[in-house]
C-alpha cells in the first residue's frame, strides 16, 4: 500500500510538472508585451524596473529603481514561479494599488510559456542573448531607442519659439514648425539618453504633426529654446 502511494504521488507530481512547464520560444513572443516598459539588462530601468535577476528578489526591491509604489514595496512578496504567475494573471488582484498599467495575461498556458522564457532570460548575462534571438519585436513593442546615436534628421540643432509655434531645426538643415501644444519636452539622463547639447527629436503622432524633443537634462530646455520671430 505504501509503495503504491509513493508511486501514485510520484506520478502525480511528474504529471503536474509536465503540465506547468512552458515553452520558452513561445514565451519570448508573449514577453513582447513587456519590452516597452521593462529591460532584461541589469539596472536598466524604464517605465518599470529592470527584470534582470528577478527570481528570489523581494517585490519592490531593486535599489536602482526609484518609482515603486508603496503597495509593491510593502507587499512582502518574493518573486518565484508561483508569485509571478499570480501577478501576471491579474496584477491588480494580486497586489491592489500597484502602479503597473498592465491588465494581465488570463491564459495560463501563455503565462507558463512566458515564465519559462523569463526564467532563462533574467539570469545574469542572458539579456543580450534573449534580445538577439528575438526579432519578433516589431513596431508596436519596440524598446526605447538609444539617443546617443542619432541620424542627422533626428538631432536637434535649434528650437525657436514665436507666438504659438515652435520651429525645430535638425542637423540635416531642415526646419519643422509645430503648434506649441503638439511639441513635448522630455529628458533622459541615462546611458541611452542624448549627448549634452544634442537633443533628439522623436516623431510621436501618426500624423507627423506631433513630436517630442528629448534633452539630456532639464536645464538644457530653457537654454535651448530661444524666443525669436
Ligand atoms: C506600461 C508599462 C508596463 C508594462 C507593459 C509591463 N510592466 Fe511590469 N511593471 C511596470 C511598473 C511601472 C512596475 C512597478 C509597479 C509598482 O511599483 O507598483 C512594474 C513591475 C513589475 C514587476 C515587479 C518587479 C519588482 O522589482 O518587484 C514584474 C515582475 C513585472 N512588472 C513584470 C512584467 C511583465 C512580465 C510584463 C509583460 C507581461 C510587464 N511587467 C508589463 C510597468 C509595466
Amino acid at each position: 500500500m505504501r509503495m503504491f502511494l509513493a508511486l501514485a504521488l510520484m506520478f502525480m507530481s511528474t504529471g503536474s510538472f509536465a503540465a506547468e512547464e512552458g515553452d520558452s520560444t513561445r514565451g519570448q513572443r508573449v514577453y513582447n508585451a513587456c519590452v516597452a516598459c521593462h529591460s532584461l539588462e541589469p539596472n536598466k530601468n524604464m517605465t518599470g524596473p529592470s527584470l534582470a535577476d528577478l527570481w528570489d528578489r523581494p517585490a519592490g526591491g531593486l535599489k536602482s529603481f526609484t518609482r515603486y509604489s508603496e503597495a509593491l514595496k510593502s507587499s512582502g512578496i518574493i518573486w518565484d514561479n508561483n508569485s509571478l504567475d499570480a501577478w501576471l494573471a491579474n496584477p491588480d488582484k494580486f497586489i491592489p494599488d500597484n502602479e503597473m498599467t498592465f491588465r494581465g495575461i488570463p491564459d495560463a498556458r501563455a503565462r507558463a510559456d512566458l515564465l519559462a522564457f523569463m526564467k532563462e532570460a533574467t539570469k545574469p548575462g542572458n539579456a543580450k542573448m534573449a534580445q538577439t534571438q528575438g526579432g519578433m519585436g516589431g513596431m508596436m513593442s519596440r524598446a526605447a531607442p538609444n539617443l546617443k546615436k542619432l541620424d542627422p534628421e533626428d538631432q536637434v540643432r535649434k528650437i525657436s519659439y514665436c507666438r504659438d509655434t515652435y520651429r525645430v531645426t535638425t542637423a540635416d538643415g531642415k526646419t519643422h514648425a509645430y503648434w506649441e501644444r503638439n511639441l513635448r519636452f522630455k529628458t533622459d539622463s541615462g546611458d541611452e539618453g542624448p549627448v549634452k547639447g544634442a537633443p533628439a527629436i522623436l516623431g510621436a503622432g501618426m500624423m507627423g504633426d506631433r513630436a517630442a524633443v528629448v534633452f539630456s537634462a532639464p536645464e538644457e530646455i530653457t537654454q535651448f529654446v530661444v524666443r525669436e520671430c
Side-chain angles (χ1 to χ4, degrees), residues 79-136:
W79 294 124
D80 61 16
N81 286 345
N82 289 332
S83 57
L84 284 167
D85 185 63
W87 167 247
L88 294 172
N90 189 337
D92 280 336
K93 196 169 149 205
F94 191 59
I95 305 180
D97 299 326
N98 80 79
E99 276 163 28
M100 172 156 118
T101 41
F102 181 72
R103 247 195 278 169
I105 302 169
D107 186 75
R109 185 59 190 265
R111 288 198 309 277
D113 293 342
L114 173 62
L115 287 179
F117 167 74
M118 285 175 64
K119 191 152 194 186
E120 281 306 308
T122 56
K123 281 185 187 154
N126 280 3
K128 281 276 184 299
M129 188 194 78
Q131 269 157 16
T132 49
Q133 277 175 0
M136 291 294 296

